[in-house]
Amino acid sequence: MAAEAASSSPPAAITCRAAVAWGPGQPLVMEEVEVAPPGPLEIRVKVVSTSVCRSDVSAWQSKAQPDLFPRIFGHEASGVVESVGEGVTEFQVGDHVLTVFIGECKSCKHCISGKSNMCQKLGLERKGVMHSDQKTRFSIKGKPVYHYCAVSSFSEYTVVHSGCAVKVGLTVPMDRVCLLSCGVSAGLGAAWNVADVSEGSSVVIFGLGTVGLSVAQAAKLRGASKIIGVDTNPEKQEKGRAFGVTDFINPNELSEPVQQVIKMMTDGGADYSFECGWGVTVTLGVPKAKPEVSAHYAFLLSGRTLKGSLFGGWRPKSDLPSLVDKYADKEIQVDGLVTHDIPFGDINRALELMLENKCLRCVIHMSQ
């Protein structure tokens, strides 16, 4: 059992359950881990809910960093601040927060510019450690357990930098708003911030997972006239319609290349595409195979644009609260993307569902 830190004394190390990956693709094992006190400008969070994102699964399966095991994955989470480190003034014990995999220090060149969400101090962490001191906050019997994206929410408690957490209202449902800490926000932002989808335009979306469906609803809210969803899973047609998809294409049912079909449907090509098209193309998410992208120079000369998108271009601390408000006011859909609610002890089932393409988002309930 985790020991609650006394508010009148400095936080001490605690022990709790965590789902630990001991090697690439190996089933997660429930272990008792020690979680260190939060360091300067850090907070320790009692995780309430965490959803399984495709990037968690991709990183868990990847053999590219075999030295970063044992490791605790998870990054799309909500929780309650259990203790705060030295210098933290923004958060207090008891605050409800979302964790974010890229932070916002609000003092580096990129943060000050207001044009970039690529914080130079709290950017995407790839070494399995904390940003501040390049060390871990987890251990088992004195040996380090590595982090994922400096979040590691597949644990009952975790430590994050205060710049990688966003305060939310106490009445927002924690088991649903956690989706805004990655996938849903990434899709909404790709359409609104990066592509800037316009009214009356045509949009094509390759892949109708959580991110793709969020792109669809964002395009619908912008007034796009044709929103084409492309997916090999026929069950995605009905779900896509609920999020704004007007036309559905299953490439496995076509007798000609999908790009030719899209050209015919859009009179020459879509205005905006998310992963392919003729006008503005936005790439987002984690590639399943080769990360390299190649294109003939003539395509660029003809006016096509290729853009990348990380977290939809949102600045986490500056912009995420507005999305939480939109969710609370029922302006954006989130709940419909949750297909499974799973107890923490059954977390491996969530990974299996993701690998089998039988879910959108599985929400893990840490208290169960």
Side-chain angles (χ1 to χ4, degrees):
M1 295 293 292
E4 297 290 343
S7 59
S8 59
S9 59
I14 60 175
T15 58
C16 70
R17 290 188 306 160
V20 179
W22 287 94
Q26 294 182 17
L28 306 186
V29 180
M30 282 294 169
E31 302 279 9
E32 185 176 273
V33 300
E34 183 172 286
V35 187
L41 298 180
E42 295 175 352
I43 60 175
R44 190 161 60 193
V45 176
K46 181 179 182 179
V47 180
V48 174
S49 300
T50 181
S51 43
V52 179
C53 177
R54 175 65 66 176
S55 60
D56 291 314
V57 177
S58 297
W60 165 62
Q61 289 185 307
S62 175
K63 298 179 180 179
Q65 295 179 301
D67 295 336
L68 295 188
F69 288 89
R71 197 173 193 185
I72 299 173
F73 289 98
H75 63 284
E76 199 174 79
S78 60
V80 179
V81 176
E82 177 267 347
S83 55
V84 300
E86 180 184 350
V88 175
T89 58
E90 180 184 356
F91 298 102
Q92 296 180 348
V93 173
D95 283 344
H96 288 196
V97 296
L98 293 178
T99 59
V100 286
F101 66 96
I102 56 171
E104 184 181 356
C105 72
K106 295 192 174 183
S107 62
C108 72
K109 179 180 178 180
H110 284 204
C111 287
I112 292 174
S113 74
K115 300 178 180 178
S116 170
N117 68 347
M118 302 293 288
C119 179
Q120 293 170 299
K121 295 181 180 179
L122 302 173
L124 186 60
E125 209 295 310
R126 302 176 184 271
K127 299 177 182 178
V129 293
M130 295 295 289
H131 291 95
S132 55
D133 60 5
Q134 301 295 291
K135 296 180 180 179
T136 73
R137 299 292 181 267
F138 298 104
S139 62
I140 296 178
K141 297 179 180 178
K143 296 184 178 180
V145 177
Y146 293 98
H147 298 244
Y148 177 62
C149 291
V151 176
S152 295
S153 56
F154 293 171
S155 173
E156 291 177 323
Y157 287 81
T158 189
V159 175
V160 299
H161 194 284
S162 58
C164 296
V166 177
K167 190 184 302 186
V168 299
L170 300 180
T171 60
V172 179
M174 302 280 270
D175 62 348
R176 294 298 182 261
V177 74
C178 58
L179 272 66
L180 285 175
S181 68
C182 182
V184 175
S185 298
L188 294 171
W192 289 342
N193 301 329
V194 182
D196 194 16
V197 171
S198 59
E199 184 175 359
S201 60
S202 59
V203 174
V204 60
I205 305 160
F206 287 79
L208 295 179
T210 296
V211 176
L213 291 171
S214 298
V215 171
Q217 74 161 315
K220 177 182 178 181
L221 290 170
R222 276 290 180 90
S225 60
K226 184 179 287 292
I227 303 172
I228 304 169
V230 182
D231 203 292
T232 57
N233 184 349
E235 296 180 1
K236 295 291 182 68
Q237 182 170 6
E238 183 177 353
K239 179 64 75 170
R241 189 178 298 113
F243 280 81
V245 172
T246 59
D247 301 86
F248 180 80
I249 298 175
N250 184 340
N252 293 337
E253 298 176 351
L254 300 178
S255 58
E256 54 188 324
V258 64
Q259 60 267 30
Q260 296 299 325
V261 174
I262 292 171
K263 283 185 178 180
M264 289 187 291
M265 294 175 66
T266 57
D267 191 24
D271 297 311
Y272 304 93
S273 62
F274 295 82
E275 291 186 18
C276 272
W278 81 271
V280 174
T281 297
V282 176
T283 62
L284 61 161
V286 177
K288 293 182 180 180
K290 294 182 179 180
E292 297 85 4
V293 176
S294 61
H296 196 285
Y297 188 57
F299 285 106
L300 302 179
L301 288 177
S302 63
R304 292 173 173 85
T305 302
L306 175 64
K307 293 185 174 183
S309 174
L310 181 66
F311 198 49
W314 301 112
R315 296 168 299 161
K317 299 180 82 67
S318 297
D319 300 329
L320 202 51
S322 67
L323 290 184
V324 174
D325 289 343
K326 287 181 181 296
Y327 167 62
D329 293 338
K330 302 185 185 304
E331 295 178 24
I332 56 175
Q333 292 191 65
V334 173
D335 296 10
L337 294 166
V338 178
T339 53
H340 299 78
D341 288 283
I342 295 178
F344 186 33
D346 293 336
I347 191 170
N348 281 304
R349 179 169 169 251
L351 299 178
E352 292 168 2
L353 288 167
M354 183 70 79
L355 288 172
E356 296 168 358
N357 292 317
K358 293 181 178 179
C359 68
L360 289 173
R361 276 296 190 268
C362 295
V363 171
I364 309 300
H365 296 259
M366 306 302 289
S367 62
Q368 299 178 10

